[in-house]
Amino acid sequence: MLNIIRTTRGVALGAALLTVAACEDDPVEPAMPIEVTLDFAAVVDEAAFSCGNSYDNVGTSNTTITPVDFRFYVHDVELIAADGSSVELELTQDGTWQRDNVVLLDFENGSGPCVNGTAAMNTTVRGTAPDATYTGVRFTLGVPEELNHADQTTAAAPLDLTSLFWSWNGGYKFLRIDHTSDAQPEGWFVHLGSTGCTPTGDPTVPATSCSNEHRPTFEFLDFDLGIDEIVADYGALLANSDLAQNSGAKGCMSFPGDPECAVVMNAFGLAYEGSQPSGQSFFSIR
């Protein structure tokens, strides 16, 4: 749900402003920005995600899975007006989840099988925008290129987590959702991030470009700002995956030549080695 809290002034000050506004030569008081909170939810085939829960009939193999991680970054969050114009949501710099124009959304709490995670969670994006009527929302999954290849060991939160970082060359895991099952007890992972980054060779030299950026942008134009929330559905993402099989890296880790990646990447709305998406199935609105 996106909640809008309109910033108001006190009654006494408001009355004074009305008096002043009556003067013809005085400028019009500019509208105050509105505070915005965008709610996100994590589900597996519409069932709420929770560490320790198992979920039946996932993928083409109807596998019972136990998720052990569910985190992703988003950036460049925008609100869209009915006429199609858009404004950037100015993120609140909280020193923990939001930095510059990047937000970490974290649905695991480090308990039970989510032992590699953290106790703290974050399911919202918070910021301010010009006072207007908005009917849509747009955001990009991942970490922007200008922040993707910095030194993670000195980075400020939320870019300081080693579990969400590959290397200076590869950069961050934009999304990490892992699960185990009887068929794949060692794990089946979805790690989305940029690949084909150059220069390569010296692992301490940050990349300057990547041939596979893997940053899909999602847009919802019929979005009720007072009611809707954005839902990330791991079951929908894996609907066309055979979770009983694995022939490359565990699951799909974004790298070229992975047989499990085509249907996963297509479900994000990304092309992968000649396989073209017909849309995306990961995010929806409810």
Side-chain angles (χ1 to χ4, degrees):
M1 178 184 301
L2 185 145
N3 301 311
I4 298 177
I5 304 172
R6 295 183 184 278
T7 303
T8 57
R9 296 172 184 268
V11 174
L13 178 57
L17 289 175
L18 286 174
T19 301
V20 174
C23 301
E24 293 183 356
D25 294 335
D26 290 337
V28 176
E29 184 74 8
M32 299 293 290
I34 57 175
E35 297 180 2
V36 176
T37 298
L38 261 175
D39 286 340
F40 281 72
V43 305
V44 181
D45 286 332
E46 300 184 357
F49 164 81
S50 180
C51 289
N53 283 4
S54 294
Y55 303 85
D56 298 330
N57 302 316
V58 181
T60 60
S61 51
N62 294 320
T63 299
T64 297
I65 69 168
T66 301
V68 300
D69 209 330
F70 204 133
R71 290 178 281 183
F72 55 82
Y73 292 99
V74 300
H75 66 279
D76 290 348
V77 181
E78 297 178 306
L79 302 180
I80 304 170
D83 64 1
S85 62
S86 61
V87 297
E88 180 181 358
L89 183 64
E90 190 72 24
L91 297 182
T92 302
Q93 302 297 299
D94 63 11
T96 303
W97 303 108
Q98 305 192 153
R99 173 194 170 191
D100 297 332
N101 62 340
V102 182
V103 184
L104 173 61
L105 291 154
D106 184 343
F107 302 93
E108 55 73 35
N109 60 9
S111 67
C114 299
V115 65
N116 289 327
T118 58
M121 302 169 64
N122 178 50
T123 63
T124 62
V125 173
R126 302 164 304 283
T128 59
D131 190 356
T133 300
Y134 300 107
T135 58
V137 62
R138 180 189 298 128
F139 59 92
T140 298
L141 184 60
V143 174
E145 180 66 18
E146 62 269 22
L147 296 174
N148 195 35
H149 302 286
D151 184 352
Q152 176 270 329
T153 61
T154 61
L159 299 174
D160 59 340
L161 298 172
T162 56
S163 57
L164 296 179
F165 191 72
W166 279 325
S167 66
W168 281 18
N169 187 259
Y172 287 86
K173 300 170 188 173
F174 302 157
L175 172 144
R176 177 173 184 166
I177 309 177
D178 303 341
H179 76 259
T180 61
S181 67
D182 288 343
Q184 300 291 328
E186 299 300 318
W188 206 100
F189 309 146
V190 177
H191 295 174
L192 181 67
S194 295
T195 62
C197 301
T198 56
T200 60
D202 184 345
T204 65
V205 177
T208 56
S209 65
C210 301
S211 57
N212 305 307
E213 294 188 352
H214 293 157
R215 293 186 184 89
T217 295
F218 302 88
E219 180 180 273
F220 297 96
L221 298 179
D222 186 14
F223 188 76
D224 190 322
L225 303 183
I227 299 175
D228 290 337
E229 63 181 351
I230 301 166
V231 179
D233 191 335
Y234 188 48
L237 182 72
L238 300 181
N240 294 316
S241 294
D242 183 352
L243 303 181
Q245 304 296 323
N246 189 67
S247 53
K250 295 177 181 177
C252 170
M253 299 191 190
S254 299
F255 293 96
D258 190 330
E260 278 70 46
C261 271
V263 293
V264 173
M265 290 297 187
N266 289 172
F268 282 122
L270 296 170
Y272 180 83
E273 299 189 332
S275 179
Q276 297 296 323
S278 59
Q280 67 87 22
S281 58
F282 183 51
F283 286 112
S284 62
I285 300 298
R286 70 179 181 189

